[in-house]
Amino acid sequence: MNTVFPLDPHPGVLVVGAGVAGLACARDLAHKGIPVTLLDRGRGVGGRCATRRIEGQPVDHGVAFLHGSDPAFLDAVRSVPGATILDGWPSRIEGTGTPCQPDAFAPGERRAAYAEGVTAFPKMMAAGLDVRLVTTVLAMHPDGALWRLDLAGGGTARARFVVLALATEETLALVDGLPPGDLELEGARHLLRMVASSVPCLTVIAGYPADAPAPAWDVAFPETSMILKDVVHDSAKRPDPKWTVLVIQAAARWSRQHAGEPVDAWTQGLLAETARLFGEWAAHPTWTQVRHWQFGRTESGNELAGPLVVEGAGGRTLGITGEVFAEGGGVEAAWTSGRLLAVRLAERTKG
């Protein structure tokens, strides 16, 4: 994956954000012969489809599994080269609390995970694309018939077509920095403010010896806890795991209340609640790692019908996509919205 600049000007489309929405948009544009470059501030692709390797063992610490009902999306999930598909995972559910994505367990939905980790899916999507990692976009500006993106470190990138495939709040921060007066852009700002409702999530990855009393469930959704949203038995996805691993995710309100505390404090709070619900052994992991997802997921019920396209002077065009721009939310919605935007942009790039 290339990290070399300049991109000034870029002849095709610049996509900011290499999560599933950005990758789906870029992949479809590239298949149509349109030059595309993705910029992402992270060290890897996928956004919340995030897998760490801890002493060689994969651990999914964002999205735990993929689900959907669109045959095309499900075909894409099953087409990852070399991946071991765990069809129907999770199948063992504990508790009746509300999942992050309630639709995952609705009739007609199919679920799947990968023994190698959920990042297998975005990595498949990124194959062959020009992805510039560790590249943060600080601001964007109109520049004649182009957009100019200011990058961390002093670099710039210019293109006529720019796609923002970020959390809604991150997109809004960039769009709010643009000069006022454009009616189409003002309409986009208004919509973004209406749907900007990402939920934070404090997450603890807890590792225990392989002979620990492993849970008999794949995912637990505690119905009586005000602290936990869910607990994933991640090592249940791994063949011959070295560690029994729980991924503990806090409820949104608790995450908001405790995000400013020292990491050790909220880590201990989540472990103590896990032990209260599932046994004292859970309070004493051999090791822990943490992740503060500032934009953990989108509140359900805020979805828009489709991605946004805003055209400015000289044909300068801004596309906005992400999971909030398709029905249902989650990875399938991100994938769908990215592909829908690719169709709309392809028509304009050839005009």
Side-chain angles (χ1 to χ4, degrees), residues 140-192:
M140 60 185 300
H141 313 273
D143 188 358
L146 303 176
W147 293 106
R148 186 184 87 239
L149 306 184
D150 296 340
L151 310 176
T156 60
R158 287 176 171 83
R160 180 183 170 196
F161 298 92
V162 169
V163 170
L164 300 181
L166 303 165
T168 310
E169 288 80 0
E170 295 173 302
T171 294
L172 186 57
L174 290 173
V175 172
D176 271 345
L178 296 172
D182 185 305
L183 291 179
E184 278 198 58
L185 193 56
E186 289 302 321
R189 281 193 184 102
H190 178 68
L191 283 173
L192 289 169

Side-chain angles (χ1 to χ4, degrees), residues 64-104:
F65 59 95
L66 304 178
H67 67 91
S69 57
D70 180 350
F73 174 70
L74 295 173
D75 285 346
V77 168
R78 296 189 186 100
S79 67
V80 177
T84 306
I85 306 294
L86 305 176
D87 201 20
W89 201 97
S91 59
R92 302 176 301 167
I93 310 300
E94 171 88 5
T96 58
T98 303
C100 293
Q101 296 293 333
D103 288 350

Side-chain angles (χ1 to χ4, degrees), residues 222-229 251-254 257 273 276:
E223 63 269 25
T224 61
S225 178
M226 302 297 290
I227 297 176
L228 301 185
K229 179 67 173 176
R253 179 179 294 181
W254 198 89
Q257 291 172 341
E273 180 70 352
R276 182 183 74 83

